[in-house]
Amino acid sequence: MPQHQPPARPRDSEASKARLLQAATDEFAARGIAGARVDRIGAAAEVNKALIYTYFGNKEQLFDAVMDAHVARVLDEVPFTPEDLPGYAGRLFDFLLANPHQLRLATWHRLERSGTDHEPQGLGASMRQKTAAITQAQTDGLLTRTFTPEDLLVFTLALANAWMPTSPMANDQTAERTPQHRAAVVEAVRRLVAGTPTTQAS
């Protein structure tokens, strides 16, 4: 009797894409777009590098997909709380410390993708929503009006990543003082938002 062969197992495209995105994250974070090599990404993902072009189009579009995924992750995992900006800064500090690729990828995006028509998916809308939420919190008397909403948001974000490994201020002793740096970030944002409400800065 002829033996029946089991049906061919379909390629798990979603798993392949996930491995490619992870391998691309490591490659782009370390080398940027220009220095990245699709053959290294394919080898690390244990996927034929031709699938990169099938799934993503080209190397630049793969980088854009990586950025979209990382922006979506931080927006999902670090909820914005305009009524508690110090708490938000502390949570963002924790997330960035646990995910060092996040800021490296953002830096490469500014260096190599500025001036293109690609903005990480959801980033612009998120910044506008955060600014609007701060504006409302100021109107409700929950935040100082000493600073404009845009300034308050940018200062909070800057303080949250000031002591990350990618910062020029970081050194060999930075990691040893992580708890103190986190506490200082939270306290700095608390003082930033604790001013007596006045008219907005011009």
Side-chain angles (χ1 to χ4, degrees):
M1 295 179 62
Q3 293 183 342
H4 293 286
Q5 295 294 328
R9 184 179 177 182
R11 180 186 293 134
D12 188 345
S13 61
E14 291 305 313
S16 296
K17 287 180 182 179
R19 292 199 303 275
L20 282 170
L21 285 172
Q22 182 55 59
T25 292
D26 296 336
E27 180 76 4
F28 287 131
R31 298 178 172 89
I33 300 174
R37 295 291 179 265
V38 293
D39 54 347
R40 280 197 297 258
I41 294 172
E46 299 182 342
V47 170
N48 189 317
K49 69 178 183 180
L51 288 179
I52 292 174
Y53 303 100
T54 299
Y55 292 149
F56 301 102
N58 57 39
K59 187 168 66 169
E60 288 74 19
Q61 289 170 312
L62 175 59
F63 179 84
D64 292 343
V66 168
M67 279 297 302
D68 289 347
H70 279 265
V71 168
R73 185 180 175 197
V74 69
L75 295 180
D76 180 61
E77 296 188 20
V78 190
F80 185 64
T81 50
E83 73 285 356
D84 181 22
L85 286 182
Y88 170 73
R91 293 191 301 274
L92 184 58
F93 179 99
D94 294 337
F95 178 89
L96 295 175
L97 192 66
N99 299 276
H101 286 347
Q102 196 84 22
L103 289 176
R104 294 191 185 101
L105 290 168
T107 299
W108 286 118
H109 186 274
R110 286 194 300 273
L111 291 172
E112 298 188 280
R113 293 295 277 162
S114 62
T116 69
D117 59 359
H118 179 266
E119 177 186 83
Q121 189 172 7
L123 181 60
S126 173
M127 293 295 285
R128 290 189 293 272
Q129 291 167 2
K130 288 179 172 65
T131 301
I134 291 176
T135 300
Q136 185 60 53
Q138 290 177 325
T139 300
D140 294 341
L142 301 176
L143 290 175
T144 178
R145 293 174 62 86
T146 302
F147 303 102
T148 67
E150 293 81 4
D151 285 340
L152 204 50
L153 176 58
V154 168
F155 294 159
T156 299
L157 297 175
L159 285 165
N161 67 58
W163 283 111
M164 293 300 110
T166 53
S167 168
M169 302 304 297
N171 53 46
D172 293 340
Q173 287 75 47
T174 297
E176 300 174 6
R177 294 181 53 80
T178 294
Q180 294 94 322
H181 291 318
R182 187 192 191 280
V185 166
V186 172
E187 176 63 14
V189 177
R190 187 193 69 77
R191 296 189 185 193
L192 186 69
V193 302
T196 303
T198 61
T199 57
Q200 290 187 348
S202 58

